[in-house]
Amino acid sequence: MVFCGRVNPTTGALDWVEEDEDYDYHQEIARSSYADMLHDKDRNEKYYQGIRAAVKRVKERGEEAIVLDIGTGTGLLSMMAVTAGADYCYAIEVFTPMAEAAIQIVKANGFGDKIKVINKHSKEVTLGPDGDMMQRANILITELFDTELIGEGALPSYEHAQQNLMQERWEAVPHRATVYAQVVESHRLWSMNKLLPINLDHGLIKPPLELQTCPGAPSVCDVQLSQLSTDDFNTLSDIMVIFRVDFSQQVSSTTVSHPVNFTSNANGEAQVVLSWWDIDMDPEGTINCTMKPGWLYSDDHSVPWRDHWMQCVYFLPEERKVTLGEELCLTAHQDDYCVWYTLMKPGAEDSSPVSDERPICHCGAHIIWNRTRFGELNDQGRLKKYKEAMRKVLKPSSVCMCISDGSLLPLLAHTMGAAQVFTVESSSMSQQVMQKLLQTNHLKGAIPVLQKSPEKITLPWHNLYFWYSRSALSDNLVEGCTVFPMSATLYVLAVEFKDLWRIRSPCGICEGFDVSIMDAMIKKSLDFRESQEAEPHALWEYPCRALSQPVKVMTFDFRKTIPVNDVKSEGSVSLVRSGRCHGVVLWMEYQLTEDISVSTGLLEVSNEKGYCQWYPHSKQGVFFLNSVLELGPSSTQTYSSVTYQLTFSPKLGDIEMNFLPNP
C-alpha cells in the first residue's frame, strides 16, 4: 500500500489517504478519453481513407511502406496502416498504460509481426540495428492534436520526427491543417473573461481599471460552440484562414506571427475570436475532417460529435470599437504550444512592444476566478435574487461577515445599508483583488478585509466550502445570527444524453478492429476508484433529456455547524419517460431565504420530451451508470426506477454515492 496526498474537495486541507500500489496506474486509465476518440466515426473513417491513399502513393513509387505512428493510443491507426498494405509500422506511445494496452490489442488482432509498439516519447526513439527503429519511415501518421491544434506539443514532435526518424521524402496523414478564425462581439462570452460594471439600487460597482486592461489567462477556452446560439454573438468579420501547417514538409516550432488583414463587416465591440481547424488527409484535400461548429453545417448534414476536439474561444486583450468597413489586422501569435490573438490597424503590430508576448494575467482576478466564476459574478438574474434576499434579512444595525473569495456580496451588503461589513478572503491573491475592488469603488477602509487560510475553492458541483468556513467562525457569531445562504439541497435527475455518454461507453469493435481489451482496462480502473464518483461537466454544452423528475436527496443546514458523524441518504428516482438512461446528474440549490433560492443546475425542463436547460455558470456532477438502461414499450427491460445510496463524510468533505437500476 502507498499513501497519497489528496486535497480535501470541500475544506481544502491536504489529507493522506492509503491507496493500493496500482492507484496511479488506474487513475491514468480511468481518466483517459480514448472511448470518445474511438466513438468518433467521422474521425476514424477520414483517417482510414487518408492512410489508404498514403500507402497507395508510396507503393506506386515502388517503395516499401514504412509507417511511423506517433501517439498511437490503442494502436488503431497502426492497424489501419497494415490493413491498407503497409509493410511495417512503428507505433510510438509515451503513456505507459496505453502502450501496454496497444501491445495487447495489436496482438489480439493478429498484427504482432508487423507492428512494433515503442513505449517512449518520440524524441527518445533511436535508429539502427540496436535501436528502436531498424530504418527510417516514409509515412508519418499522427493524432497529436487538441482543441487548439498545437497545444499537446504537436509542432516540436513533428519537427524532431521529420529531422531524425523520416526518410528524405515522406507522406503525412494528416497532410495539412488549416486554422480559421472570426472576430465577434459577444456579451455572453466576454462576461466569462471580464468583470462588468454592476448596477445597484444606490450606485454602481465598477471593476478596477487594471482588471479591464489585463490580457487575462493565457489558456484557450475550449467550448462546444455548436451549443451557442447565433444570437449570442455579432460577427464583425468573415471567417478567415489564419495559418496552415503542411505536415509533408519540415515543420518548425519557432515562435511566429500570422497577420491577416480584413475589412470589418459590422459596427460593434471586437471582444472575442472564435476559432477552429480542419485537417486534409490527402494532398488534394478531398478527404477533410473539420471541427467547424454546428451552425455552419447545412440543415441536411449531420454534425459529427466529438469532445476531444472542440472549438476555441480566445479573448482579445481589450475590447476595441470597430466600424463597418474599417480596415483591421488580426494577428495570430503562435509558439510551440500556444496561440493568442491581437487586433490592430494594419502595420501597427510592427511597432507594438507586447504583441508577441504570450498573455499573462497581471491583475490577479484571472488567477482566483475561472471562467464560470466570471460568468456567475456577471449574472444579473442571480444578482437580482441575492438583492431580493438581502433586503429581507438586512437591517440598519446588521454587522455582516462575508466569506467571500472574491464575491461581490460585501460591496452589495454595504451599499444596501448594513452597519458594518467584514469580508474574509482565503488567500493573499484574493485579498489583493478585493482591495483593488474596494479602492476603485471608494470603499477602502469601509469594508475591512480579513485573510483566513488554508481553505480553497472546491469541486464545482457540490461547493460546501461556505459551511466549513461558517463552522470554523462559529465562535465569532452572536446567538441567533442570520446565516446566508441558510441551507443547500442536493438534487439528482436521471437523464438520457444526446452524445456525452460516448466518453464512458465501451467500443468493442472499432472500424473492424477488436479494441475490447481497452474497454476492459477502463472498466477495471473505473471499478477500482471512480465507480462511486461523479464527474464535473458543464451540461449547457451537452444536450440531454430528463427521464425523471428532479429529486431532493440531501439537505445541508448552514445554520448549524458541520455534524461529526456521516450523513446518509437512500431512496429511488422514478423513471417517468421512455428513452436510454445513461446516468444521473447531481447539483446544488442554495436557499438564500425561506422563499428565495439559486440553482447551480437544472433551470427548467422545456417540454413534454424532457429537454433540459442547465445553469451555464457552474458545472454539474454526472454519475454514469455501468450499463445503459433501455426504457420504453419496445424494450425488453422493465426498469421503473434508479435507487441511490449517498453518504456525506464531514471528515473527508466528499459525497460517496452509488446508483443502481431497480426492476
Side-chain angles (χ1 to χ4, degrees):
M1 303 295 288
V2 295
F3 286 92
C4 296
R6 185 176 303 128
V7 175
N8 186 303
T10 302
T11 67
L14 182 65
D15 298 331
W16 290 96
V17 182
E18 190 176 22
E19 295 287 2
D20 187 276
E21 61 183 5
D22 292 327
Y23 172 78
D24 288 338
Y25 173 89
H26 287 290
Q27 282 290 88
E28 289 184 82
I29 287 287
R31 296 192 182 279
S32 65
S33 299
Y34 288 94
D36 176 41
M37 291 185 283
L38 294 174
H39 278 292
D40 189 345
K41 188 173 180 60
D42 177 70
R43 160 198 176 269
N44 297 338
E45 288 180 346
K46 299 294 174 56
Y47 261 100
Y48 209 167
Q49 294 169 18
I51 290 168
R52 285 201 305 263
V55 171
K56 182 180 178 182
R57 291 194 297 274
V58 169
K59 293 287 188 178
E60 287 176 347
R61 296 199 294 265
E63 302 173 12
E64 279 191 320
I66 308 300
V67 173
L68 175 61
D69 175 9
I70 302 179
T72 193
T74 60
L76 178 64
L77 302 185
S78 292
M79 293 188 293
M80 288 181 177
V82 173
T83 302
D87 295 282
Y88 201 78
C89 183
Y90 297 99
I92 314 299
E93 177 56 55
V94 69
F95 184 27
T96 298
M98 283 309 308
E100 293 173 354
I103 290 170
Q104 295 182 56
I105 291 170
V106 165
K107 288 182 179 178
N109 285 274
F111 297 111
D113 60 336
K114 285 199 170 186
I115 299 175
K116 180 181 180 181
V117 178
I118 303 170
N119 182 203
K120 287 185 176 181
H121 192 284
S122 60
K123 291 184 179 180
E124 299 172 349
V125 172
T126 56
L127 282 169
D130 299 323
D132 301 305
M133 295 175 59
M134 290 289 294
Q135 57 190 315
R136 291 176 178 262
N138 55 11
I139 299 177
L140 178 57
I141 301 173
T142 60
E143 211 280 49
L144 299 172
F145 314 119
D146 65 351
T147 295
E148 200 174 15
L149 183 68
I150 66 172
E152 291 185 2
L155 296 183
S157 295
Y158 268 110
E159 185 176 38
H160 176 271
Q162 291 168 343
Q163 291 175 349
N164 298 280
L165 304 176
M166 303 304 296
Q167 299 176 18
E168 288 187 10
R169 180 181 182 183
W170 68 84
E171 303 290 336
V173 182
H175 182 79
R176 75 175 65 86
T178 304
V179 175
Y180 303 88
Q182 186 172 34
V183 181
V184 304
E185 174 184 35
S186 173
H187 176 83
R188 176 173 180 178
L189 294 174
W190 192 241
S191 68
M192 296 164 60
N193 181 59
K194 300 289 185 182
L195 182 62
L196 307 179
I198 298 175
N199 287 307
L200 301 176
D201 296 338
H202 306 290
L204 186 72
I205 295 179
K206 300 177 182 178
L209 179 63
E210 184 181 0
L211 194 154
Q212 296 305 92
T213 59
C214 179
S219 59
V220 66
C221 180
D222 52 347
V223 175
Q224 293 281 4
L225 280 183
S226 297
Q227 300 309 313
L228 278 183
S229 166
T230 52
D231 294 333
D232 287 324
F233 56 89
N234 175 35
T235 60
L236 302 179
S237 76
D238 295 332
I239 297 170
M240 299 172 281
V241 173
I242 301 300
F243 65 89
R244 288 189 168 95
V245 183
D246 187 341
F247 301 119
S248 68
Q249 303 295 322
Q250 181 62 56
V251 167
S252 172
S253 59
T254 304
T255 300
V256 64
S257 295
H258 307 277
V260 178
N261 294 334
F262 70 97
T263 303
S264 63
N265 56 20
N267 297 319
E269 297 285 344
Q271 300 167 324
V272 175
V273 176
L274 307 181
S275 181
W276 57 90
W277 49 267
D278 63 23
I279 43 179
D280 291 323
M281 299 296 185
D282 62 329
E284 296 76 25
T286 58
I287 309 169
N288 179 267
C289 186
T290 180
M291 307 310 121
K292 67 182 180 182
W295 24 266
L296 291 178
Y297 283 81
S298 58
D299 293 339
D300 59 348
H301 195 291
S302 60
V303 181
W305 186 87
R306 47 179 69 96
D307 200 44
H308 55 106
W309 294 332
M310 291 187 274
Q311 295 82 37
C312 301
V313 170
Y314 295 95
F315 300 103
L316 291 170
E318 292 184 78
E319 59 184 345
R320 177 192 177 99
K321 187 176 184 62
V322 302
T323 57
L324 175 65
E326 185 177 358
E327 298 295 324
L328 294 164
C329 179
L330 179 69
T331 302
H333 308 276
Q334 166 226 310
D335 60 19
D336 50 352
Y337 281 90
C338 186
V339 176
W340 63 98
Y341 285 88
T342 54
L343 181 65
M344 299 182 181
K345 284 286 188 182
E349 67 274 7
D350 295 335
S351 60
S352 172
V354 298
S355 61
D356 288 339
E357 297 178 4
R358 184 187 293 191
I360 298 175
C361 172
H362 57 68
C363 73
H366 298 92
I367 298 173
I368 66 169
W369 297 333
N370 59 22
R371 280 156 184 150
T372 56
R373 180 62 168 157
F374 269 106
E376 189 178 54
L377 292 173
N378 289 315
D379 185 342
Q380 292 297 314
R382 180 177 176 275
L383 179 65
K384 181 180 178 182
K385 286 192 173 184
Y386 271 90
K387 288 194 292 185
E388 291 174 357
M390 291 180 76
R391 287 193 190 99
K392 293 177 179 287
V393 301
L394 278 180
K395 301 174 183 177
S397 60
S398 294
V399 177
C400 302
M401 177 178 287
C402 298
I403 301 173
S404 173
D405 260 352
S407 167
L408 301 180
L409 289 181
L411 288 81
L412 186 60
H414 181 274
T415 58
M416 294 182 71
Q420 178 66 69
V421 180
F422 299 89
T423 178
V424 180
E425 305 295 329
S426 67
S427 69
S428 58
M429 183 65 72
S430 181
Q431 187 179 30
Q432 291 171 25
V433 172
M434 180 55 67
Q435 293 284 17
K436 293 173 186 177
L437 265 170
L438 296 176
Q439 184 171 3
T440 299
N441 290 278
H442 309 292
L443 293 174
K444 190 173 183 180
I447 302 178
V449 180
L450 312 177
Q451 185 179 342
K452 181 179 182 296
S453 58
E455 291 90 345
K456 279 287 187 181
I457 203 67
T458 68
L459 285 181
W461 65 268
H462 69 301
N463 189 343
L464 295 176
Y465 160 70
F466 172 76
W467 199 14
Y468 280 78
S469 297
R470 170 259 181 272
S471 298
L473 295 169
S474 57
D475 291 342
N476 300 303
L477 307 179
V478 299
E479 184 176 352
C481 88
T482 300
V483 178
F484 180 94
M486 57 191 295
S487 64
T489 300
L490 179 63
Y491 282 83
V492 300
L493 179 75
V495 299
E496 174 188 59
F497 286 109
K498 180 183 177 184
D499 291 300
L500 187 63
W501 59 270
R502 300 174 193 269
I503 69 172
R504 287 291 175 261
S505 178
C507 296
I509 303 297
C510 180
E511 303 302 324
F513 303 103
D514 184 356
V515 295
S516 57
I517 291 171
M518 190 65 222
D519 293 335
M521 292 179 67
I522 292 176
K523 185 179 186 306
K524 180 180 178 181
S525 295
L526 288 170
D527 291 342
F528 177 86
R529 175 67 195 172
E530 299 204 345
S531 60
Q532 294 183 308
E533 294 183 2
E535 305 173 12
H537 291 281
L539 291 186
W540 73 266
E541 298 183 59
Y542 305 105
C544 64
R545 293 175 56 240
L547 301 183
S548 73
Q549 298 297 329
V551 176
K552 296 181 182 180
V553 294
M554 195 173 280
T555 297
F556 308 92
D557 191 344
F558 297 158
R559 293 167 295 186
K560 302 176 182 177
T561 57
I562 293 171
V564 175
N565 299 320
D566 290 354
V567 179
K568 297 179 182 292
S569 177
E570 296 182 357
S572 63
V573 180
S574 298
L575 301 171
V576 298
R577 292 186 179 89
S578 61
R580 306 179 75 234
C581 183
H582 297 112
V584 176
V585 178
L586 305 95
W587 71 94
M588 284 290 200
E589 184 171 299
Y590 295 92
Q591 203 70 35
L592 304 182
T593 63
E594 293 289 352
D595 58 344
I596 299 176
S597 63
V598 291
S599 175
T600 63
L602 186 68
L603 298 180
E604 67 173 321
V605 177
S606 61
N607 54 34
E608 69 281 357
K609 291 186 178 180
Y611 292 109
C612 299
Q613 181 181 348
W614 299 97
Y615 184 64
H617 306 309
S618 179
K619 291 185 178 181
Q620 294 75 39
V622 179
F623 185 102
F624 290 99
L625 299 174
N626 287 333
S627 59
V628 177
L629 306 186
E630 300 283 352
L631 310 169
S634 60
S635 173
T636 58
Q637 297 171 314
T638 57
Y639 297 108
S640 60
S641 62
V642 175
T643 61
Y644 60 84
Q645 296 177 328
L646 303 172
T647 301
F648 169 65
S649 170
K651 181 179 179 181
L652 297 177
D654 208 352
I655 301 172
E656 185 179 277
M657 64 192 69
N658 198 16
F659 293 88
L660 296 171
N662 184 34

